[in-house]
Amino acid sequence: MESAAVEIDGSIMEGGGQILRVSAALSCITGAPINISKIRAGRSTPGLRPQHLSGLQLVSDLCSGRLQGAAIGSSELSLVPGKIRSGTHTADTQTAGSVCLLLQVALPCTVFADAPSQLTLKGGTNAEMAPQIDYTVKVFKPIVEKFGVHFDCDIRMRGYYPKGGGEVVVTVNPVKELQPVLMTDRGSITKIYGRAFVGGVLPFKLAKDMSAAAVRTIRKEIKELYINIQPLQEKDKACGNGNGIIIIAESSTGCVFAGSALGRKGVYADKTGIEAAEMLLRNIRHNGCVDEFLQDQLIIFMALAKGRSQIRTGAVTLHTQTAIHVAEQLTRAKFTITKCEDEKSSNVTFIIECEGSGVTNPYL
């Protein structure tokens, strides 16, 4: 007999695609059916957008699920999950919708499959309002490995707005259960590096300008480290024209942070470089262990892990609060957020603590 579906309010708190991603992934892993209503109700274009739809279809495919009511513009849907299937799965946003957001919804599911999975994800690799693929590989990947999640990511083609056309192939190994993670001591920043890229017909000078402006900005605050931001021209491995920059900082205790920006029409390349540098500096200043964009992406793994995780961070974002709300609805995980005063920093930091639900993989 099917258990009663968990009712999820898609308009609550952050009210966006993240509610869909976290609830669909957790439904798939826990086997709990879900009904989601008021999807993106407060947005200028409410309801499902193409990239949300392709993410939900991917999860439904991964767990042999029954997905009902899922169409572009739809404000209600239900998912009844089945057994998680390993093997090969493909998802294509058909737009510049982010491949990284597709990975966000699929990765936790494939970790609980019976064998390795291969995901072919198509769309935008460096899209606005989403992590760049470089962020996923350089920042997200080493940190989720601490939970025991191991995946490889092969960037076959980069896709830029508005065309998309990017493709990444991700191979994921399953685990029996996830380990809790303790990240409360940031240590000192030991390394800063990055890439400033132009794709398509855009001039190489843009990459050099972004890189130089970013280095100048960081130098004002961090004088003792060598900063290596490589300017790159992507000729054959890019679909469409795009430019952007990502700068990564590593700490002595294994924390990783990033600042990134994408070029926009009518915006000087210098300004794009400065924007990324300022974002990185802002995330280093608070002396937490994760940046504002990693924070919410770790919630689902904390909720699934067996044992107590603690992560120290700057201000807790609405995305993170929303992910916690959904995770507590769909698992037995319990989260607490504690403010801590820090003698090393004038900024306040917070400890996000989670007693994980200790989900075990029934197929291994």
Side-chain angles (χ1 to χ4, degrees):
M1 208 177 94
E2 274 177 19
S3 51
V6 180
E7 300 292 333
I8 308 280
D9 180 345
S11 68
I12 204 161
M13 299 166 92
E14 189 272 330
Q18 193 199 29
I19 295 174
L20 299 168
R21 288 189 293 278
V22 177
S23 54
L26 287 174
S27 163
C28 175
I29 293 161
T30 61
I34 52 170
N35 294 330
I36 310 177
S37 58
K38 300 187 215 159
I39 293 169
R40 300 179 68 255
R43 296 297 199 258
S44 54
T45 47
L48 287 180
R49 304 307 303 146
Q51 76 168 39
H52 304 125
L53 184 58
S54 44
L56 290 163
Q57 285 165 337
L58 174 59
V59 166
S60 180
D61 179 37
L62 279 167
C63 70
S64 330
R66 288 207 314 276
L67 183 62
Q68 288 177 315
I72 290 170
S74 168
S75 64
E76 290 190 21
L77 64 87
S78 66
L79 173 64
V80 179
K83 176 182 189 267
I84 299 176
R85 297 186 303 133
S86 54
T88 308
H89 303 273
T90 301
D92 187 349
T93 63
Q94 313 264 322
T95 62
S98 169
V99 296
C100 302
L101 295 181
L102 291 176
L103 182 61
Q104 259 183 41
V105 70
L107 181 66
C109 308
T110 51
V111 166
F112 289 95
D114 56 354
S117 304
Q118 190 179 64
L119 307 170
T120 300
L121 309 175
K122 301 178 181 185
T125 56
N126 300 71
E128 286 286 0
M129 309 296 290
Q132 294 191 40
I133 190 65
D134 311 275
Y135 183 94
T136 298
V137 172
K138 293 279 196 272
V139 180
F140 173 75
K141 185 176 185 288
I143 303 306
V144 293
E145 282 176 353
K146 293 176 189 283
F147 289 94
V149 176
H150 292 280
F151 69 95
D152 286 318
C153 182
D154 177 14
I155 304 166
R156 300 267 169 96
M157 178 69 76
R158 286 176 180 268
Y160 300 116
Y161 182 82
K163 265 170 116 169
E167 181 178 324
V168 301
V169 177
V170 180
T171 313
V172 189
N173 291 315
V175 297
K176 183 69 186 162
E177 59 189 18
L178 296 177
Q179 312 303 316
V181 162
L182 183 67
M183 293 177 72
T184 53
D185 173 19
R186 196 200 63 191
S188 55
I189 299 298
T190 54
K191 201 172 170 187
I192 297 178
Y193 60 96
R195 69 194 300 273
F197 62 88
V198 292
V201 300
L202 296 178
F204 184 49
K205 182 181 185 311
L206 293 180
K208 293 199 279 200
D209 288 354
M210 287 186 292
S211 168
V215 171
R216 277 197 308 274
T217 306
I218 297 168
R219 275 262 173 278
K220 288 177 194 162
E221 214 162 300
I222 299 172
K223 298 183 170 63
E224 67 284 0
L225 287 179
Y226 172 64
I227 301 163
N228 179 17
I229 302 171
Q230 292 256 282
L232 298 161
Q233 178 123 38
E234 292 168 351
K235 279 267 196 281
D236 46 354
K237 272 198 154 181
C239 181
N241 305 315
N243 67 300
I245 179 170
I246 178 159
I247 317 161
I248 292 151
E250 294 179 7
S251 87
S252 54
T253 57
C255 303
V256 195
F257 309 86
S260 64
L262 289 172
R264 296 184 292 280
K265 253 201 176 92
V267 176
Y268 285 116
D270 294 38
K271 199 168 175 205
T272 307
I274 292 166
E275 190 186 324
E278 285 178 342
M279 183 188 288
L280 178 70
L281 290 169
R282 183 171 77 236
N283 279 298
I284 287 175
R285 277 185 208 119
H286 59 58
N287 207 34
C289 296
V290 298
D291 66 31
E292 63 197 297
F293 304 105
L294 190 60
Q295 210 185 80
D296 64 296
Q297 293 183 59
L298 298 182
I299 296 303
I300 190 167
F301 300 101
M302 294 171 80
L304 294 166
K306 184 180 184 177
R308 179 176 297 168
S309 294
Q310 285 187 332
I311 289 177
R312 183 174 180 156
T313 178
V316 178
T317 66
L318 187 56
H319 267 100
T320 297
Q321 291 167 33
T322 309
I324 289 172
H325 174 78
V326 177
E328 288 191 328
Q329 259 192 293
L330 281 161
T331 69
R332 292 206 190 96
K334 283 281 164 276
F335 284 85
T336 49
I337 297 173
T338 319
K339 191 173 169 179
C340 43
E341 301 303 329
D342 183 0
E343 62 290 348
K344 289 188 200 150
S345 156
S346 53
N347 298 0
V348 176
T349 56
F350 296 85
I351 300 270
I352 301 173
E353 187 173 309
C354 175
E355 197 58 58
S357 57
V359 170
T360 53
N361 186 334
Y363 311 117
L364 289 188

